[in-house]
Amino acid sequence: LESGDDMVFSWRSTGEVVADLHAEPDDAPEGFAESFDRARGVEAHGGYRATFDGWHGWFWENRGAEPVTVELQASGFFTAARTYGGGRVQETALTAETP
């Protein structure tokens, strides 16, 4: 997202997770992130306005013993998405046709 861009979101999980909505400014040092909302639960819904250009999104942590699935639905003025897992990053450019 770029500064001033909006996003609306809804996520839910099959079990309790710790969720951290955070952002990494484009010009920030490696590893820097600013948190905007931290919560524990199974779902959240809302809106977010970027205060600076950069990557904006969530970190979910399952602290339980059973596997958990998280489903995210988001709409906004973003042009790419990243997923992290298993030590790997996958980046996808988004288009009007991208689900």
Side-chain angles (χ1 to χ4, degrees):
L1 295 171
E2 293 182 9
S3 181
D5 286 349
D6 294 311
M7 157 175 73
V8 293
F9 65 88
S10 179
W11 67 261
R12 71 180 63 202
S13 60
T14 57
E16 186 178 83
V17 294
V18 175
D20 179 6
L21 173 58
H22 65 280
E24 301 171 16
D26 283 342
D27 57 356
E30 181 72 25
F32 174 84
E34 182 176 340
S35 290
F36 294 97
D37 185 39
R38 290 184 187 165
R40 184 184 289 250
V42 295
E43 65 181 49
H45 318 279
Y48 171 78
R49 176 167 286 161
T51 58
F52 49 77
D53 296 353
W55 289 97
H56 306 261
W58 291 265
F59 170 81
W60 291 282
E61 181 181 12
N62 173 13
R63 293 187 176 170
E66 298 297 320
V68 170
T69 299
V70 176
E71 180 180 299
L72 169 67
Q73 294 180 336
S75 297
F77 294 96
F78 37 86
T79 57
R82 286 183 181 167
T83 57
Y84 299 82
R88 298 173 50 200
V89 176
Q90 180 180 357
E91 187 171 323
T92 305
L94 302 176
T95 66
E97 295 81 35
T98 303

XYZ file of all heavy atoms in Angstrom:
765
model
N 0.835 -1.191 0.000
C 0.000 0.000 0.000
C 0.873 1.245 0.000
O 1.979 1.225 0.532
C -0.892 0.027 1.240
C -1.950 -1.056 1.382
C -2.578 -1.010 2.769
C -3.015 -0.910 0.329
N 0.347 2.290 -0.567
C 1.020 3.579 -0.499
C 0.329 4.419 0.570
O -0.822 4.157 0.938
C 0.963 4.272 -1.854
C 1.776 3.549 -2.915
C 1.765 4.264 -4.250
O 1.274 5.409 -4.332
O 2.251 3.672 -5.214
N 1.028 5.420 1.073
C 0.496 6.280 2.113
C -0.882 6.823 1.719
O -1.061 7.318 0.614
C 1.457 7.448 2.353
O 0.966 8.284 3.374
N -1.858 6.674 2.616
C -3.212 7.143 2.373
C -4.129 6.122 1.736
O -5.342 6.336 1.685
N -3.593 5.004 1.227
C -4.422 3.968 0.620
C -5.170 3.187 1.699
O -4.662 2.968 2.799
C -3.579 2.995 -0.207
C -3.121 3.589 -1.519
O -3.616 4.665 -1.898
O -2.255 2.973 -2.165
N -6.383 2.759 1.354
C -7.236 2.026 2.279
C -7.348 0.558 1.903
O -7.177 0.188 0.735
C -8.647 2.619 2.277
C -8.692 4.017 2.835
O -8.125 4.233 3.914
O -9.299 4.889 2.186
N -7.694 -0.234 2.924
C -7.944 -1.654 2.733
C -9.041 -2.050 3.723
O -9.079 -1.549 4.842
C -6.649 -2.431 2.997
C -6.815 -3.869 3.360
S -5.248 -4.767 3.521
C -4.589 -4.128 5.053
N -9.943 -2.920 3.303
C -10.900 -3.538 4.209
C -10.579 -5.022 4.250
O -10.104 -5.592 3.261
C -12.369 -3.290 3.805
C -12.728 -1.835 3.945
C -12.646 -3.789 2.413
N -10.813 -5.648 5.404
C -10.392 -7.041 5.550
C -11.327 -7.819 6.467
O -12.063 -7.248 7.274
C -8.969 -7.117 6.104
C -8.849 -6.568 7.506
C -9.072 -7.379 8.608
C -8.517 -5.247 7.717
C -8.968 -6.880 9.893
C -8.409 -4.732 9.004
C -8.640 -5.555 10.103
N -11.251 -9.113 6.310
C -11.927 -10.052 7.184
C -11.082 -11.314 7.186
O -10.735 -11.831 6.130
C -13.335 -10.354 6.653
O -13.986 -11.290 7.496
N -10.703 -11.777 8.367
C -9.999 -13.053 8.447
C -10.637 -13.907 9.521
O -11.237 -13.407 10.457
C -8.492 -12.892 8.668
C -8.063 -12.312 9.983
C -7.715 -11.015 10.233
C -7.908 -13.000 11.236
N -7.369 -10.850 11.547
C -7.479 -12.064 12.195
C -8.098 -14.315 11.647
C -7.243 -12.392 13.522
C -7.856 -14.648 12.975
C -7.429 -13.709 13.892
N -10.538 -15.218 9.337
C -11.016 -16.163 10.343
C -10.108 -17.379 10.342
O -9.477 -17.686 9.330
C -12.470 -16.547 10.118
C -12.689 -17.438 8.912
C -14.128 -17.799 8.701
N -14.849 -16.580 8.426
C -16.150 -16.420 8.585
N -16.879 -17.403 8.978
N -16.726 -15.277 8.312
N -10.054 -18.031 11.481
C -9.197 -19.208 11.607
C -9.979 -20.350 12.245
O -10.999 -20.128 12.902
C -7.949 -18.882 12.445
O -8.322 -18.471 13.742
N -9.480 -21.549 12.050
C -10.143 -22.734 12.590
C -9.773 -22.981 14.050
O -10.277 -23.922 14.655
C -9.801 -23.977 11.751
O -8.374 -24.145 11.729
C -10.328 -23.841 10.328
N -8.918 -22.169 14.600
C -8.518 -22.244 16.004
C -7.926 -20.917 16.419
O -7.642 -20.055 15.585
N -7.728 -20.727 17.712
C -7.207 -19.455 18.207
C -5.783 -19.205 17.708
O -4.952 -20.113 17.710
C -7.204 -19.448 19.731
C -6.801 -18.099 20.296
C -6.843 -18.065 21.807
O -5.851 -18.514 22.420
O -7.860 -17.617 22.340
N -5.537 -17.957 17.293
C -4.212 -17.523 16.857
C -3.900 -16.176 17.495
O -4.798 -15.455 17.929
C -4.115 -17.388 15.316
C -4.246 -18.736 14.635
C -5.147 -16.409 14.778
N -2.627 -15.842 17.538
C -2.192 -14.499 17.873
C -1.998 -13.797 16.537
O -1.283 -14.292 15.667
C -0.878 -14.510 18.683
C -0.387 -13.096 18.921
C -1.073 -15.248 19.994
N -2.675 -12.662 16.349
C -2.619 -11.929 15.077
C -1.961 -10.578 15.306
O -2.247 -9.896 16.281
C -4.019 -11.736 14.521
N -1.090 -10.201 14.384
C -0.384 -8.919 14.459
C -0.492 -8.236 13.099
O 0.122 -8.680 12.129
C 1.076 -9.156 14.826
C 1.904 -7.881 14.900
O 1.349 -6.777 14.775
O 3.126 -7.996 15.068
N -1.302 -7.180 13.020
C -1.372 -6.350 11.815
C -0.219 -5.355 11.901
O -0.131 -4.590 12.852
C -2.704 -5.601 11.737
C -2.854 -4.572 10.617
C -2.650 -5.193 9.243
C -4.206 -3.883 10.709
N 0.672 -5.404 10.933
C 1.870 -4.572 10.986
C 2.256 -4.113 9.583
O 1.672 -4.555 8.601
C 3.032 -5.336 11.633
C 3.467 -6.510 10.835
N 2.800 -7.713 10.857
C 4.510 -6.668 9.986
C 3.418 -8.568 10.049
N 4.450 -7.956 9.499
N 3.233 -3.216 9.526
C 3.694 -2.688 8.241
C 5.200 -2.481 8.275
O 5.784 -2.218 9.319
C 2.997 -1.374 7.929
N 5.796 -2.607 7.093
C 7.233 -2.399 6.911
C 7.406 -1.273 5.892
O 7.104 -1.453 4.719
C 7.888 -3.674 6.385
C 7.700 -4.860 7.302
C 8.163 -6.172 6.686
O 8.908 -6.146 5.675
O 7.761 -7.224 7.200
N 7.853 -0.093 6.336
C 8.051 1.021 5.391
C 9.073 0.661 4.308
O 10.017 -0.096 4.557
C 8.589 2.145 6.272
C 8.208 1.781 7.663
C 8.188 0.285 7.708
N 8.870 1.220 3.113
C 9.789 0.942 2.001
C 11.234 1.267 2.335
O 12.139 0.570 1.895
C 9.366 1.730 0.755
C 8.162 1.112 0.055
O 7.856 -0.078 0.291
O 7.527 1.837 -0.736
N 11.479 2.319 3.116
C 12.848 2.746 3.394
C 13.360 2.288 4.763
O 14.388 2.767 5.235
C 12.956 4.269 3.282
C 11.991 4.989 4.209
O 11.171 4.334 4.889
O 12.044 6.230 4.243
N 12.663 1.340 5.390
C 13.044 0.886 6.736
C 14.230 -0.076 6.676
O 14.444 -0.758 5.672
C 11.876 0.190 7.403
N 15.003 -0.148 7.764
C 16.080 -1.130 7.824
C 15.525 -2.548 7.811
O 14.381 -2.782 8.205
C 16.773 -0.834 9.160
C 16.004 0.227 9.837
C 14.904 0.675 8.942
N 16.318 -3.491 7.366
C 15.933 -4.898 7.314
C 15.425 -5.354 8.680
O 16.036 -5.097 9.705
C 17.141 -5.756 6.904
C 16.839 -7.229 6.795
C 16.000 -7.592 5.592
O 16.030 -6.851 4.589
O 15.304 -8.610 5.659
N 14.241 -5.997 8.684
C 13.690 -6.537 9.921
C 12.816 -5.581 10.715
O 12.180 -5.983 11.683
N 12.729 -4.301 10.305
C 11.901 -3.334 11.034
C 10.442 -3.497 10.628
O 10.127 -3.645 9.455
C 12.339 -1.902 10.740
C 11.418 -0.873 11.357
C 11.585 -0.492 12.674
C 10.381 -0.324 10.622
C 10.731 0.451 13.251
C 9.525 0.615 11.184
C 9.701 0.995 12.504
N 9.553 -3.465 11.613
C 8.111 -3.465 11.356
C 7.422 -2.681 12.463
O 7.865 -2.696 13.611
C 7.569 -4.882 11.299
N 6.353 -1.992 12.101
C 5.557 -1.234 13.067
C 4.202 -1.913 13.219
O 3.483 -2.097 12.237
C 5.382 0.200 12.569
C 4.616 1.073 13.512
C 4.529 2.521 13.053
O 5.356 2.944 12.223
O 3.638 3.208 13.537
N 3.849 -2.329 14.437
C 2.570 -2.993 14.690
C 1.461 -1.969 14.884
O 1.663 -0.928 15.499
C 2.666 -3.879 15.938
O 3.471 -4.992 15.677
N 0.274 -2.298 14.351
C -0.888 -1.436 14.482
C -1.990 -2.081 15.298
O -2.816 -1.400 15.874
C -1.422 -1.044 13.096
C -0.462 -0.184 12.341
C 0.398 -0.734 11.403
C -0.402 1.171 12.589
C 1.296 0.068 10.714
C 0.496 1.982 11.910
C 1.349 1.422 10.971
N -2.037 -3.409 15.325
C -3.059 -4.107 16.095
C -2.567 -5.508 16.413
O -2.126 -6.224 15.515
C -4.368 -4.182 15.304
C -5.503 -4.783 16.114
O -5.594 -4.486 17.324
O -6.301 -5.537 15.533
N -2.626 -5.870 17.684
C -2.286 -7.227 18.122
C -3.469 -7.770 18.902
O -4.025 -7.079 19.746
C -1.055 -7.224 19.018
C 0.208 -6.896 18.289
C 1.390 -7.013 19.215
N 2.576 -6.531 18.531
C 3.700 -6.235 19.119
N 3.813 -6.368 20.427
N 4.730 -5.807 18.431
N -3.844 -8.995 18.595
C -4.980 -9.604 19.270
C -4.850 -11.114 19.243
O -4.088 -11.671 18.459
C -6.283 -9.175 18.602
N -5.613 -11.745 20.105
C -5.702 -13.208 20.138
C -7.154 -13.543 19.872
O -8.050 -12.938 20.460
C -5.276 -13.702 21.514
C -5.225 -15.196 21.649
C -4.890 -15.593 23.076
N -3.517 -15.280 23.394
C -2.558 -16.194 23.582
N -2.843 -17.463 23.489
N -1.348 -15.818 23.869
N -7.409 -14.465 18.938
C -8.787 -14.827 18.651
C -8.904 -15.726 17.445
O -7.914 -16.299 16.974
N -10.133 -15.830 16.926
C -10.394 -16.685 15.769
C -10.891 -15.901 14.558
O -11.098 -16.478 13.495
C -11.396 -17.816 16.107
C -10.810 -18.771 17.134
C -12.717 -17.252 16.581
N -11.088 -14.580 14.715
C -11.489 -13.771 13.565
C -11.320 -12.291 13.875
O -11.262 -11.888 15.039
C -12.935 -14.048 13.159
C -13.958 -13.660 14.185
C -15.370 -13.998 13.724
O -15.616 -15.128 13.277
O -16.221 -13.094 13.818
N -11.247 -11.516 12.796
C -11.218 -10.060 12.905
C -11.714 -9.476 11.587
O -11.547 -10.088 10.526
C -9.816 -9.541 13.217
N -12.310 -8.304 11.679
C -12.868 -7.625 10.514
C -12.621 -6.138 10.707
O -12.663 -5.648 11.836
C -14.372 -7.872 10.412
C -14.764 -9.285 10.699
N -14.662 -10.289 9.773
C -15.218 -9.863 11.835
C -15.052 -11.426 10.319
N -15.394 -11.191 11.575
N -12.364 -5.435 9.626
C -12.173 -4.004 9.790
C -11.598 -3.330 8.570
O -11.608 -3.857 7.464
N -11.049 -2.156 8.815
C -10.436 -1.360 7.773
C -9.097 -0.829 8.269
O -8.822 -0.792 9.464
N -8.280 -0.431 7.322
C -6.934 0.048 7.638
C -6.542 1.085 6.598
O -6.791 0.890 5.403
C -5.959 -1.129 7.627
C -4.507 -0.742 7.717
C -3.947 -0.379 8.926
C -3.701 -0.733 6.584
C -2.607 -0.015 9.014
C -2.370 -0.375 6.662
C -1.835 -0.024 7.871
O -0.518 0.347 7.963
N -5.937 2.184 7.031
C -5.391 3.198 6.117
C -3.884 3.277 6.336
O -3.419 3.492 7.453
C -6.011 4.561 6.369
C -5.352 5.643 5.480
C -6.119 6.917 5.465
N -7.303 6.693 4.637
C -8.384 7.447 4.674
N -8.453 8.480 5.482
N -9.408 7.180 3.889
N -3.122 3.108 5.270
C -1.661 3.138 5.347
C -1.177 4.545 5.686
O -1.637 5.523 5.094
C -1.050 2.687 4.024
N -0.250 4.636 6.620
C 0.326 5.936 6.988
C 1.660 6.174 6.295
O 2.241 7.252 6.435
C 0.503 6.046 8.512
O 1.330 4.976 8.966
C -0.849 5.977 9.218
N 2.164 5.175 5.580
C 3.395 5.305 4.808
C 3.415 4.249 3.717
O 2.670 3.268 3.776
C 4.641 5.188 5.704
C 4.620 3.998 6.626
C 4.897 2.715 6.168
C 4.328 4.166 7.972
C 4.879 1.634 7.024
C 4.316 3.084 8.839
C 4.589 1.811 8.354
N 4.252 4.430 2.699
C 4.427 3.461 1.625
C 5.137 2.227 2.186
O 6.075 2.359 2.977
C 5.293 4.030 0.495
C 4.673 5.225 -0.212
O 3.504 5.550 0.069
O 5.370 5.826 -1.039
N 4.708 1.049 1.773
C 5.401 -0.165 2.201
C 4.509 -1.387 2.150
O 3.450 -1.390 1.531
N 4.980 -2.454 2.798
C 4.244 -3.708 2.911
C 3.409 -3.661 4.180
O 3.919 -3.320 5.253
C 5.203 -4.894 2.960
C 5.859 -5.139 1.643
C 7.094 -4.703 1.246
C 5.313 -5.847 0.546
N 7.337 -5.102 -0.033
C 6.253 -5.817 -0.492
C 4.120 -6.523 0.329
C 6.041 -6.420 -1.721
C 3.906 -7.124 -0.890
C 4.862 -7.071 -1.906
N 2.128 -4.001 4.067
C 1.191 -3.950 5.185
C 0.469 -5.290 5.245
O -0.050 -5.756 4.232
C 0.178 -2.821 4.978
C 0.815 -1.492 4.740
N 0.971 -0.557 5.735
C 1.367 -0.952 3.631
C 1.567 0.509 5.254
N 1.826 0.295 3.963
N 0.421 -5.905 6.420
C -0.258 -7.190 6.506
C -0.198 -7.800 7.885
O 0.047 -7.110 8.872
N -0.392 -9.097 7.942
C -0.539 -9.817 9.204
C 0.522 -10.879 9.396
O 1.042 -11.455 8.445
C -1.887 -10.534 9.264
C -3.037 -9.620 9.367
C -3.669 -9.222 10.499
C -3.703 -8.976 8.294
N -4.690 -8.363 10.202
C -4.734 -8.189 8.844
C -3.527 -8.970 6.910
C -5.582 -7.424 8.062
C -4.376 -8.209 6.141
C -5.386 -7.442 6.717
N 0.774 -11.139 10.663
C 1.509 -12.316 11.106
C 0.547 -13.054 12.023
O -0.008 -12.458 12.947
C 2.774 -11.903 11.876
C 3.449 -13.053 12.563
C 4.284 -13.906 11.860
C 3.237 -13.292 13.916
C 4.903 -14.964 12.490
C 3.845 -14.349 14.550
C 4.684 -15.189 13.834
N 0.305 -14.323 11.736
C -0.544 -15.146 12.602
C 0.315 -16.234 13.223
O 1.101 -16.883 12.528
C -1.668 -15.803 11.805
C -2.699 -14.861 11.300
C -3.717 -14.297 12.021
C -2.848 -14.376 9.970
N -4.479 -13.495 11.213
C -3.970 -13.527 9.941
C -2.141 -14.573 8.789
C -4.408 -12.888 8.797
C -2.565 -13.936 7.652
C -3.682 -13.094 7.654
N 0.151 -16.440 14.513
C 0.897 -17.486 15.211
C -0.080 -18.416 15.921
O -0.912 -17.980 16.715
C 1.852 -16.888 16.240
C 2.660 -17.936 16.955
C 3.596 -17.357 17.991
O 3.478 -16.156 18.335
O 4.454 -18.107 18.467
N 0.045 -19.693 15.618
C -0.740 -20.731 16.279
C 0.079 -21.224 17.467
O 1.127 -21.830 17.288
C -1.008 -21.874 15.296
C -1.661 -23.062 15.952
O -2.150 -22.985 17.076
N -1.686 -24.178 15.245
N -0.385 -20.963 18.676
C 0.326 -21.414 19.870
C -0.238 -22.715 20.412
O 0.207 -23.205 21.440
C 0.291 -20.334 20.941
C 1.091 -19.117 20.528
C 1.208 -18.129 21.638
N 2.057 -17.026 21.233
C 2.191 -15.919 21.931
N 1.548 -15.758 23.074
N 2.975 -14.960 21.500
N -1.220 -23.268 19.715
C -1.833 -24.520 20.142
C -1.121 -25.729 19.573
O -0.176 -25.618 18.776
N -1.590 -26.897 19.957
C -0.989 -28.159 19.520
C -1.571 -28.657 18.195
O -0.932 -29.443 17.493
C -1.189 -29.222 20.598
N -2.775 -28.212 17.838
C -3.434 -28.681 16.617
C -3.198 -27.701 15.471
O -3.121 -26.492 15.691
C -4.941 -28.819 16.860
C -5.299 -29.842 17.921
C -4.886 -31.242 17.548
O -5.040 -31.626 16.365
O -4.381 -31.964 18.437
N -3.110 -28.214 14.237
C -2.961 -27.324 13.077
C -4.151 -26.370 12.951
O -5.282 -26.717 13.323
C -2.920 -28.283 11.884
C -2.525 -29.598 12.462
C -3.083 -29.622 13.853
N -3.899 -25.178 12.424
C -4.916 -24.147 12.240
C -4.819 -23.630 10.813
O -3.729 -23.457 10.272
C -4.695 -22.983 13.243
C -5.581 -21.806 12.920
C -4.916 -23.447 14.669
N -5.967 -23.368 10.222
C -6.031 -22.746 8.903
C -6.582 -21.327 9.068
O -7.579 -21.138 9.768
C -6.950 -23.551 7.961
O -6.418 -24.865 7.812
C -7.061 -22.886 6.601
N -5.926 -20.358 8.415
C -6.388 -18.962 8.442
C -6.809 -18.593 7.034
O -6.073 -18.832 6.067
C -5.277 -18.003 8.925
C -5.756 -16.557 8.855
C -4.831 -18.356 10.334
N -8.007 -18.004 6.913
C -8.504 -17.532 5.622
C -8.651 -16.015 5.698
O -9.286 -15.492 6.609
C -9.856 -18.159 5.318
C -10.427 -17.720 3.983
C -11.770 -18.359 3.712
O -11.825 -19.598 3.635
O -12.764 -17.612 3.591
N -8.061 -15.321 4.729
C -8.090 -13.865 4.671
C -8.819 -13.416 3.412
O -8.546 -13.925 2.322
C -6.669 -13.290 4.652
C -6.521 -11.805 4.335
C -7.108 -10.940 5.446
C -5.062 -11.464 4.085
N -9.710 -12.438 3.570
C -10.317 -11.748 2.443
C -9.987 -10.271 2.628
O -10.210 -9.726 3.718
C -11.823 -11.960 2.402
C -12.194 -13.401 2.130
C -13.702 -13.596 2.086
O -14.459 -12.826 2.657
N -14.126 -14.631 1.389
N -9.427 -9.657 1.588
C -9.041 -8.247 1.682
C -9.282 -7.563 0.342
O -9.085 -8.171 -0.711
C -7.580 -8.116 2.077
N -9.704 -6.320 0.418
C -9.884 -5.487 -0.770
C -9.227 -4.150 -0.491
O -9.308 -3.639 0.623
C -11.370 -5.258 -1.071
O -12.018 -6.470 -1.362
N -8.580 -3.608 -1.510
C -7.936 -2.320 -1.319
C -7.071 -1.956 -2.495
O -7.154 -2.552 -3.563
N -6.202 -0.982 -2.259
C -5.367 -0.434 -3.314
C -3.958 -1.013 -3.261
O -2.983 -0.282 -3.323
C -5.346 1.096 -3.209
C -6.687 1.693 -3.487
C -7.543 2.002 -2.444
C -7.103 1.915 -4.783
C -8.802 2.536 -2.695
C -8.353 2.453 -5.049
C -9.200 2.758 -4.000
N -3.847 -2.331 -3.151
C -2.540 -2.970 -3.153
C -2.280 -3.591 -4.514
O -3.206 -3.905 -5.252
C -2.401 -4.006 -2.031
C -3.640 -4.796 -1.743
C -3.942 -5.940 -2.448
C -4.501 -4.393 -0.745
C -5.076 -6.671 -2.175
C -5.636 -5.115 -0.455
C -5.928 -6.258 -1.182
N -0.995 -3.749 -4.853
C -0.621 -4.237 -6.178
C 0.110 -5.569 -6.149
O 0.379 -6.140 -7.190
C 0.277 -3.210 -6.895
O 1.425 -2.963 -6.084
C -0.472 -1.904 -7.132
N 0.452 -6.055 -4.961
C 1.148 -7.331 -4.839
C 0.843 -7.930 -3.480
O 0.382 -7.230 -2.569
C 2.662 -7.143 -5.002
N 1.087 -9.216 -3.359
C 0.880 -9.906 -2.090
C 2.062 -10.837 -1.840
O 2.661 -11.352 -2.788
C -0.417 -10.705 -2.128
N 2.383 -11.025 -0.567
C 3.448 -11.951 -0.164
C 2.898 -12.925 0.855
O 2.095 -12.551 1.699
C 4.595 -11.209 0.509
C 5.469 -10.410 -0.380
C 6.589 -9.798 0.430
N 7.436 -9.000 -0.436
C 8.339 -8.144 0.011
N 8.507 -7.978 1.308
N 9.072 -7.461 -0.828
N 3.363 -14.156 0.757
C 3.118 -15.126 1.811
C 4.465 -15.653 2.258
O 5.395 -15.773 1.458
C 2.219 -16.294 1.346
O 2.818 -16.924 0.215
C 0.835 -15.808 0.976
N 4.563 -15.925 3.547
C 5.794 -16.431 4.132
C 5.485 -17.770 4.784
O 4.440 -17.942 5.395
C 6.319 -15.488 5.220
C 6.658 -14.108 4.743
C 5.695 -13.137 4.590
C 7.980 -13.778 4.458
C 6.012 -11.862 4.157
C 8.302 -12.502 4.033
C 7.316 -11.551 3.881
O 7.644 -10.298 3.458
N 6.402 -18.688 4.690
C 6.230 -19.961 5.357
C 7.371 -20.891 5.028
O 7.885 -20.887 3.911
N 7.796 -21.657 6.004
C 8.860 -22.614 5.770
C 10.157 -21.976 5.337
O 10.935 -22.581 4.600
N 10.391 -20.712 5.768
C 11.625 -20.029 5.407
C 11.655 -19.489 3.993
O 12.693 -19.072 3.495
N 10.505 -19.483 3.332
C 10.449 -19.010 1.950
C 9.455 -17.872 1.809
O 8.490 -17.777 2.552
C 10.032 -20.161 1.028
C 11.038 -21.304 1.053
C 10.585 -22.520 0.293
N 10.127 -22.191 -1.037
C 9.336 -22.992 -1.733
N 8.929 -24.120 -1.247
N 8.950 -22.642 -2.943
N 9.674 -17.011 0.828
C 8.774 -15.915 0.509
C 8.226 -16.154 -0.886
O 8.974 -16.475 -1.807
C 9.506 -14.550 0.532
C 8.563 -13.435 0.108
C 10.083 -14.275 1.896
N 6.919 -15.990 -1.031
C 6.298 -16.075 -2.345
C 5.619 -14.743 -2.596
O 4.805 -14.304 -1.797
C 5.279 -17.205 -2.398
C 4.610 -17.323 -3.738
C 3.595 -18.452 -3.764
O 3.423 -19.178 -2.804
N 2.920 -18.589 -4.876
N 5.958 -14.066 -3.682
C 5.366 -12.769 -4.013
C 4.555 -12.915 -5.282
O 4.995 -13.530 -6.251
C 6.455 -11.716 -4.208
C 5.905 -10.324 -4.390
C 6.998 -9.272 -4.373
O 7.960 -9.399 -3.608
O 6.877 -8.310 -5.140
N 3.355 -12.329 -5.285
C 2.465 -12.413 -6.420
C 2.008 -11.016 -6.812
O 1.495 -10.285 -5.971
C 1.212 -13.262 -6.070
O 1.643 -14.534 -5.592
C 0.309 -13.429 -7.272
N 2.184 -10.661 -8.076
C 1.646 -9.392 -8.566
C 0.152 -9.589 -8.750
O -0.290 -10.624 -9.249
C 2.305 -9.028 -9.895
N -0.640 -8.626 -8.325
C -2.083 -8.730 -8.405
C -2.609 -7.954 -9.611
O -2.085 -6.905 -9.956
C -2.716 -8.192 -7.128
C -2.275 -8.883 -5.842
C -2.907 -8.199 -4.641
C -2.640 -10.339 -5.861
N -3.662 -8.485 -10.207
C -4.354 -7.818 -11.301
C -5.834 -7.822 -10.978
O -6.270 -8.445 -10.008
C -4.110 -8.539 -12.639
O -4.731 -9.829 -12.556
C -2.637 -8.680 -12.942
N -6.623 -7.185 -11.815
C -8.069 -7.168 -11.601
C -8.640 -8.577 -11.623
O -9.660 -8.858 -11.024
C -8.755 -6.303 -12.659
N -7.984 -9.498 -12.309
C -8.468 -10.873 -12.415
C -7.984 -11.773 -11.276
O -8.443 -12.874 -11.109
C -8.024 -11.515 -13.736
C -8.619 -10.860 -14.967
C -7.862 -9.599 -15.369
O -6.638 -9.556 -15.215
O -8.508 -8.650 -15.835
N -7.007 -11.315 -10.476
C -6.461 -12.138 -9.400
C -7.494 -12.290 -8.295
O -7.996 -11.288 -7.801
C -5.181 -11.517 -8.817
O -4.235 -11.333 -9.858
C -4.585 -12.402 -7.738
N -7.838 -13.534 -7.926
C -8.836 -13.715 -6.848
C -8.277 -13.303 -5.504
O -7.137 -13.283 -5.247
C -9.150 -15.198 -6.884
C -8.068 -15.840 -7.672
C -7.383 -14.767 -8.470
